[in-house]
Amino acid sequence: MDMKKRVSLELRHRSPAEVQELVLDNCRSSEGKIEGITEEFSNLELLSLINVGLTSVADIPKLDKLKKLELSDNRISGGLEVLAERLVNLTHLNLSGNKFKDISTLEPLKKLPQLKSLDLFNCEVTNLGDYRDSIFSLLPQLTYLDGYDADDCEASDSDGEADAVDDEGESEEFWEEEEDDEEDVVAEEDDDDSGDDEEGGVNGEVDSEEDDEDDDEEDDEEDEDENSSPVKGQKRKRDQEDEEDEDDDE
């Protein structure tokens, strides 16, 4: 797919001014030049042109907000002056896998005061004996060269890692808050259960007292029945005796 068509597809019904990141990797440039990207991409912060067959960056437009430019695996060998002129706020530049042979071809990058990270992996210039020292001397604004600082301390990934760390911190705080909320809910449920148990205990005591009262009433009734039974028997006995007395009188 050619670069112009790829740009149109990546817009996805947006205007160029709405686009902040534009990734055109592995498409095909015409005659090794940048196509389809204009100054209308005024809010573009990331542009990726990996393996698109570029031999020149002469046609890159002025993009004042661009911070990260990926140009790895192309055939660029020079002409970096245009980057210093048109990408004044560039902080990350990846030129890995291109055709840079001499330190002098990188001198235009001195005019990029915000440049913090430069990658030149798999470029012939990296084979020079004093390569790292020479680059850090040439570009004192650099923090990382090929992923390491001047003291050979590895970069976390990029200078943009600070944002990622902040996001991770916010994420951890979010999950901690979620866990605290869950613990509060569980504690409230436990309180409800204990309240139910207490209520059940009170109800159980009341029921027990009522049962005891019922048992006492039944016992009283039985006692009355037992007490009343002998009286009835005595009455029958007296009746029989009276009848015998009457017979004797006769």
Short mmCIF file of all heavy atoms in Angstrom, two decimals, residues 103 106 125 128-140 145:
data_model
loop_
_atom_site.label_atom_id
_atom_site.label_comp_id
_atom_site.label_asym_id
_atom_site.label_seq_id
_atom_site.Cartn_x
_atom_site.Cartn_y
_atom_site.Cartn_z
N ILE A 103 30.15 10.35 12.11
CA ILE A 103 29.62 11.20 13.17
C ILE A 103 29.15 12.54 12.59
O ILE A 103 28.15 13.11 13.03
CB ILE A 103 30.69 11.44 14.26
CG1 ILE A 103 31.09 10.12 14.93
CG2 ILE A 103 30.16 12.44 15.30
CD1 ILE A 103 30.03 9.50 15.78
N LEU A 106 25.55 13.47 11.72
CA LEU A 106 24.59 13.66 12.81
C LEU A 106 24.70 15.06 13.44
O LEU A 106 23.91 15.40 14.32
CB LEU A 106 24.82 12.59 13.89
CG LEU A 106 24.71 11.14 13.41
CD1 LEU A 106 25.19 10.19 14.50
CD2 LEU A 106 23.29 10.81 13.01
N VAL A 125 27.84 3.70 11.81
CA VAL A 125 28.52 4.64 12.69
C VAL A 125 28.77 4.05 14.08
O VAL A 125 29.71 4.45 14.78
CB VAL A 125 27.70 5.96 12.79
CG1 VAL A 125 26.39 5.72 13.54
CG2 VAL A 125 28.50 7.06 13.46
N LEU A 128 32.35 2.62 15.13
CA LEU A 128 33.50 3.46 15.45
C LEU A 128 33.93 3.24 16.89
O LEU A 128 33.09 3.09 17.79
CB LEU A 128 33.16 4.93 15.22
CG LEU A 128 32.79 5.32 13.77
CD1 LEU A 128 32.37 6.78 13.71
CD2 LEU A 128 33.95 5.04 12.82
N GLY A 129 35.23 3.25 17.14
CA GLY A 129 35.75 2.93 18.47
C GLY A 129 35.28 3.88 19.56
O GLY A 129 35.01 3.46 20.68
N ASP A 130 35.21 5.16 19.25
CA ASP A 130 34.81 6.14 20.26
C ASP A 130 33.39 6.64 20.01
O ASP A 130 33.05 7.78 20.33
CB ASP A 130 35.78 7.32 20.27
CG ASP A 130 35.88 7.99 18.90
OD1 ASP A 130 35.32 7.42 17.92
OD2 ASP A 130 36.50 9.06 18.80
N TYR A 131 32.58 5.77 19.46
CA TYR A 131 31.23 6.14 19.02
C TYR A 131 30.40 6.80 20.12
O TYR A 131 29.92 7.93 19.96
CB TYR A 131 30.52 4.89 18.48
CG TYR A 131 29.01 4.94 18.51
CD1 TYR A 131 28.31 5.81 17.69
CD2 TYR A 131 28.29 4.11 19.36
CE1 TYR A 131 26.91 5.86 17.70
CE2 TYR A 131 26.90 4.14 19.38
CZ TYR A 131 26.22 5.02 18.57
OH TYR A 131 24.85 5.07 18.59
N ARG A 132 30.27 6.18 21.26
CA ARG A 132 29.38 6.70 22.31
C ARG A 132 29.91 8.02 22.88
O ARG A 132 29.16 8.99 23.03
CB ARG A 132 29.20 5.67 23.42
CG ARG A 132 28.35 4.46 23.00
CD ARG A 132 28.07 3.54 24.18
NE ARG A 132 27.34 4.21 25.25
CZ ARG A 132 26.02 4.40 25.25
NH1 ARG A 132 25.29 3.96 24.22
NH2 ARG A 132 25.43 5.00 26.26
N ASP A 133 31.18 8.05 23.19
CA ASP A 133 31.75 9.29 23.72
C ASP A 133 31.61 10.43 22.72
O ASP A 133 31.33 11.57 23.11
CB ASP A 133 33.24 9.08 24.07
CG ASP A 133 33.42 8.16 25.26
OD1 ASP A 133 32.46 8.01 26.06
OD2 ASP A 133 34.52 7.58 25.40
N SER A 134 31.82 10.13 21.47
CA SER A 134 31.74 11.16 20.43
C SER A 134 30.32 11.71 20.31
O SER A 134 30.13 12.93 20.17
CB SER A 134 32.19 10.59 19.08
OG SER A 134 33.54 10.19 19.13
N ILE A 135 29.33 10.82 20.37
CA ILE A 135 27.94 11.27 20.24
C ILE A 135 27.52 12.11 21.44
O ILE A 135 26.90 13.17 21.29
CB ILE A 135 26.98 10.06 20.07
CG1 ILE A 135 27.26 9.35 18.75
CG2 ILE A 135 25.52 10.52 20.13
CD1 ILE A 135 26.96 10.17 17.52
N PHE A 136 27.86 11.68 22.63
CA PHE A 136 27.50 12.45 23.83
C PHE A 136 28.21 13.80 23.85
O PHE A 136 27.69 14.79 24.37
CB PHE A 136 27.79 11.66 25.10
CG PHE A 136 26.70 10.68 25.48
CD1 PHE A 136 26.94 9.32 25.47
CD2 PHE A 136 25.44 11.15 25.82
CE1 PHE A 136 25.94 8.42 25.83
CE2 PHE A 136 24.43 10.26 26.17
CZ PHE A 136 24.67 8.88 26.16
N SER A 137 29.43 13.85 23.29
CA SER A 137 30.14 15.13 23.21
C SER A 137 29.50 16.04 22.15
O SER A 137 29.39 17.26 22.36
CB SER A 137 31.61 14.90 22.85
OG SER A 137 32.26 14.17 23.86
N LEU A 138 29.08 15.44 21.07
CA LEU A 138 28.45 16.20 19.98
C LEU A 138 27.08 16.71 20.37
O LEU A 138 26.69 17.84 20.03
CB LEU A 138 28.34 15.31 18.73
CG LEU A 138 27.65 15.91 17.51
CD1 LEU A 138 28.48 17.05 16.92
CD2 LEU A 138 27.38 14.84 16.47
N LEU A 139 26.33 15.89 21.11
CA LEU A 139 24.94 16.21 21.48
C LEU A 139 24.80 16.20 23.01
O LEU A 139 24.26 15.24 23.59
CB LEU A 139 23.98 15.19 20.85
CG LEU A 139 24.11 14.98 19.33
CD1 LEU A 139 23.24 13.82 18.87
CD2 LEU A 139 23.74 16.26 18.59
N PRO A 140 25.26 17.23 23.68
CA PRO A 140 25.23 17.24 25.15
C PRO A 140 23.82 17.24 25.73
O PRO A 140 23.64 16.94 26.92
CB PRO A 140 25.97 18.54 25.50
CG PRO A 140 25.85 19.39 24.28
CD PRO A 140 25.86 18.45 23.12
N LEU A 145 21.45 7.26 24.63
CA LEU A 145 21.91 6.86 23.30
C LEU A 145 21.79 5.34 23.20
O LEU A 145 22.39 4.63 24.01
CB LEU A 145 23.35 7.30 23.07
CG LEU A 145 24.01 6.82 21.78
CD1 LEU A 145 23.28 7.38 20.55
CD2 LEU A 145 25.50 7.21 21.74
#
